[in-house]
Amino acid sequence: MRGSANLIAGIIFIAILATLIFPLFQSFMNSSSKLTVNMNQLVGNAVSRVNKAVDLTLYSDGTLEIDNTGSLNEYLAYLIVNSTGSILFVPLSINGTSFLSQFNPTFSGGSSLSQNFALLPPGSSIVMRFPTYNYIPIAVTTLDGSIIYVHQASYSYLLNQNLNGISYLLNPVTFFTSNLEDEIKSGKISLDENLIATPTSSFVQNLSGGVYRLNSLTTNISYPLVLYQECDNATVSIMLNLTGNIINGFQPEWESNPNRNASNPVFNMLITGAIASPLDSKSGYFNVSSVGCSFNITYGNSGWTPTSSSSNFAFILANWLSGSSNPWRIKIEGLNATNIAIKYYTYNSYSNSYFYIWHNGTQSIGKYYYGGVDEQIYTSSNLPNMINVPQTTIIIQGVASSIKFYNTNTSLANKPSTYDPYLIIADTDGNGYPELIFTTEDFSFSHSVQGGGSNKPRVFTIADTYSSGDSIPPGKSAQAQYVAVDYTTVPLEMILTQVPINGTQYLGVDVVASLYFHDSIYGQNVLSTITATDRGLLSIMLLDVNNSYSVVSSKNFTYQDLASLESCYPPSTTSFSINVVLPVPYFPHLYEVAVAFWDPYIYDSETGTNNDEVTLGVEFIGFQLYSR
């Protein structure tokens, strides 16, 4: 009797489904017009949800996989597809072959199309491909009245499931690679690859936006940072004192290798500098040896001097180290160091003195700011006081997979660079998760204090300018000896492409990220140095894929939001997390989460303010989906 009852119920359901759907689909097939039938009206109450051992997984590349994970045959009747807002019921049978063919279905494990249904034996599967967003698979129906909905990609962690639907916690985007290009190839993210390309002089000529650098406060002309030299698989030997910053961390590939030698770490390092000097006023060198890229530079009575057998670039680098050129950047990746040590000076406010600490081996990871800064600051008693931060010492011996040298090209006026010289991926805190680090800070901070007496104007010192206490009154621009004022015109926007979010399935997305922040503004008189505190530095967005990736909801983090999380000098910054809930429009479009960061601050020559150089680190980004 139960079998007869089930059979009768199935026949009744099929009759209802055929009565409701087939005329509409037949009309679609005859007229080639899209159905505009509300799915809830058609199937919301006409069928019951029945547990089935059928899985429908939609991957980020548009591949739909239908699997029978049970022990019985399953019989599929219709594929339900969203076609730019219209709902289509495509027969999963020979009758629907002409329409199904555009999805390139492949059958395995004995699955096949019959006259009236698709047979899905245990362990079999059907794979279809939806290369564009014109068609979005939603569900399939079975002959006995079940609806099985599509869920997003198998790497999602099932957080909660109930009668109202499913919520997923997505595996977070992490940065276990030294190159963002590898992240793009993995399918985790997408971005404008022009913004992270190697900035050769020929490449940046065609860029319309990116990162600009002023190297003069009087002319207000910007020039791009470009790659002057790259040496691969290079033996390096470096010993010098640096006026500048260092970011050093474990290489992501080494850290993610389960067979790594913990006693022999591999590092990624970014050095930003204006000038270098020898240790103890006598010993200093910068030696590189690789195929087609070898030079030796030592410090002697006449300063930094290459050996006669060195390459032409050696003379250029010696000029940089001597401080007679524009500030430079050096990126070292895959440094397998036999010796690495950084001597860093920090300030003790109680004794009003500096002391230094040697960081050796694994202890050398971290962020080292403003070694060698010589700034004039007025104290609370309105008496001038010089802050002299001793230079940071670097000692390196080892082999690097790559070492890149960047400096400004002054023949390319008002052209931008890419983000490449300003990015490095490294684990700087040793917690096992590398950070994607963006920094425009080079070698000095900025501050503002009142001069002595009523006739002394407030004095501004501009970040990343240096000339033995370079002080510039408001409204009075002056040419410092070294200038590296960076700012951006186009954000670096990373779209998290692991899972497109269907607006008809999900009502919200909860984005979680771990970050850190540091900037160049020193002292208590912040609002005198930077008046535009409401400029955004970081944005979490939801983009409409079907509408040219337009932003439909977002949360911007401004300087005012982030400044309280760090101290410029003495440098202090800790990781922090953000949690942003973005609503998903109830509309049959696909949406994706994006994260963008940039440096919107450029020096204002009229007021002498609003040049803030920043460092922003992104450790991971994940999000949770809430179903409707």
Side-chain angles (χ1 to χ4, degrees), residues 212-231:
Y212 291 78
R213 163 170 287 189
L214 295 176
N215 70 345
S216 168
L217 299 181
T218 56
T219 61
N220 207 34
I221 299 175
S222 62
Y223 301 97
L225 272 181
V226 300
L227 179 70
Y228 272 74
Q229 182 71 52
E230 178 177 3
C231 303

Side-chain angles (χ1 to χ4, degrees), residues 355-470:
F355 63 96
Y356 68 84
I357 304 172
W358 275 105
H359 292 167
N360 298 285
T362 59
Q363 299 303 312
S364 68
I365 63 172
K367 298 171 284 292
Y368 303 86
Y369 291 103
Y370 310 139
V373 168
D374 183 5
E375 299 283 7
Q376 180 174 330
I377 293 181
Y378 288 89
T379 63
S380 57
S381 61
N382 288 329
L383 296 176
N385 178 41
M386 297 297 293
I387 286 186
N388 304 100
V389 184
Q391 290 176 305
T392 299
T393 301
I394 309 172
I395 299 176
I396 297 172
Q397 279 88 35
V399 178
S401 60
S402 172
I403 178 168
K404 301 176 181 178
F405 301 86
Y406 308 90
N407 206 326
T408 51
N409 184 334
T410 54
S411 65
L412 296 173
N414 294 321
K415 285 292 183 180
S417 180
T418 69
Y419 275 76
D420 174 55
Y422 301 88
L423 292 176
I424 191 166
I425 302 178
D427 181 6
T428 62
D429 55 15
N431 70 346
Y433 283 91
E435 306 101 44
L436 169 64
I437 302 166
F438 164 63
T439 181
T440 53
E441 296 185 79
D442 286 282
F443 55 87
S444 73
F445 51 76
S446 63
H447 61 270
S448 166
V449 291
Q450 185 67 45
S454 58
N455 62 334
K456 298 277 182 86
R458 183 170 294 277
V459 175
F460 295 85
T461 295
I462 311 303
D464 285 347
T465 65
Y466 177 68
S467 181
S468 299
D470 173 39

Side-chain angles (χ1 to χ4, degrees), residues 8 133-134 232 250 265 345 349 358 397 416 484 487 525 593 602 614:
I8 294 171
Y133 295 118
N134 294 331
D232 297 326
F250 297 129
Y345 291 81
S349 59
W358 275 105
Q397 279 88 35
Y487 64 98
N525 300 302
V593 173
I602 179 175
V614 301

